[in-house]
Amino acid sequence: SANVKVELFRIFTRIWNSLSVNGESDQIQRDLPAEVRLGQITPLPRQAFLLSCLEGFSEEETAAILAVDIPTVRDLVDEAGRELAADMATDILIIEDEPLIAMDLEALVEGLGHNVTGVARTRTEAIKLADTKRPGLILADIQLADGSSGLDAVNDLLQTFEVPVIFITAYPERLLTGDRPEPTYLVTKPFQEQTVRAAISQALFFGSSRPVG
């Protein structure tokens, strides 16, 4: 059961943290395998990142495993994201037609230490911005200002280069149809900032995407 799994991870984490060698951390190196880079994040942020982002534990379960409260879990995951960004900072393209949401995403991205190359409100703008400066990550809505599709914009871009993509949408059913490969990273609106930050860290940590059409 879920409770048994939480208890097993709690016991393992307590034993693991009692070994001084596991408290050591080096600078993160981009060219190393993901599992090695994960070991270079400092211990508690690494564990929070692993438990909540990779093992799929809820914030409540992660807090129970690490014996901390939920705000601390969020802080730890954010810290892991900042540590990753410090050595894996990238240029991020935002495809979003709602100005307030775009501003929130831009502030969130820059708060992690990344750079926003631009905000596109339409498919055409997205392609133009990506041609001007190729992004290392894309945050994309599906329904855009002129009725164009963020999904089509992303697939246009992925025809020419590979890049991780996070879809942030109020219409997840348009992606989860079963008729096409489902996106690796999907955040449903209205979103919580920590969910987006965790998705950004995951996407950059584990690599690129391919066309979804």
Side-chain angles (χ1 to χ4, degrees), residues 8-20:
L8 286 174
F9 269 80
R10 189 187 67 79
I11 294 170
F12 173 78
T13 300
R14 185 170 58 183
I15 295 171
W16 180 262
N17 288 338
S18 71
L19 305 176
S20 59

Side-chain angles (χ1 to χ4, degrees), residues 84-107:
L84 287 170
D87 289 279
M88 303 175 68
T90 193
D91 295 319
I92 296 181
L93 171 62
I94 297 173
I95 306 175
E96 170 61 63
D97 66 326
E98 292 289 342
L100 291 178
I101 295 177
M103 287 175 60
D104 285 344
L105 290 174
E106 190 168 4

Side-chain angles (χ1 to χ4, degrees), residues 178-193:
D179 296 330
R180 65 183 80 200
E182 294 184 355
T184 305
Y185 305 104
L186 174 61
V187 176
T188 303
K189 293 179 179 176
F191 58 80
Q192 294 186 336
E193 290 189 358

Side-chain angles (χ1 to χ4, degrees), residues 24-46:
E24 299 175 359
S25 177
D26 300 313
Q27 185 179 28
I28 299 167
Q29 298 179 42
R30 184 188 293 267
D31 58 348
L32 294 175
E35 63 272 16
V36 178
R37 295 201 306 273
L38 182 60
Q40 295 178 319
I41 305 173
T42 48
L44 275 178
R46 176 177 70 230

Side-chain angles (χ1 to χ4, degrees), residues 37 49 53 77-85 88 112 114 137 166 185 195-207:
R37 295 201 306 273
F49 179 86
C53 299
V77 172
D78 286 350
E79 184 176 341
R82 286 190 294 271
E83 289 188 30
L84 287 170
M88 303 175 68
L112 282 174
H114 302 291
L137 175 69
I166 300 171
Y185 305 104
T195 303
V196 178
R197 286 194 289 264
I200 290 172
S201 297
Q202 280 183 274
L204 291 176
F205 200 77
F206 289 102

Side-chain angles (χ1 to χ4, degrees), residues 77-173:
V77 172
D78 286 350
E79 184 176 341
R82 286 190 294 271
E83 289 188 30
L84 287 170
D87 289 279
M88 303 175 68
T90 193
D91 295 319
I92 296 181
L93 171 62
I94 297 173
I95 306 175
E96 170 61 63
D97 66 326
E98 292 289 342
L100 291 178
I101 295 177
M103 287 175 60
D104 285 344
L105 290 174
E106 190 168 4
L108 186 155
V109 164
E110 292 176 346
L112 282 174
H114 302 291
N115 175 60
V116 176
T117 60
V119 177
R121 299 180 66 249
T122 67
R123 178 181 182 180
T124 301
E125 288 179 10
I127 294 169
K128 183 177 180 180
L129 283 170
D131 284 342
T132 301
K133 187 167 187 179
R134 182 170 294 184
L137 175 69
I138 297 173
L139 305 182
D141 192 5
I142 295 178
Q143 185 79 34
L144 301 180
D146 60 351
S148 61
S149 167
L151 178 60
D152 290 339
V154 165
N155 280 334
D156 286 344
L157 298 176
L158 293 180
Q159 297 299 325
T160 56
F161 63 95
E162 289 192 351
V163 63
V165 179
I166 300 171
F167 286 101
I168 304 176
T169 178
Y171 306 99
E173 67 278 0

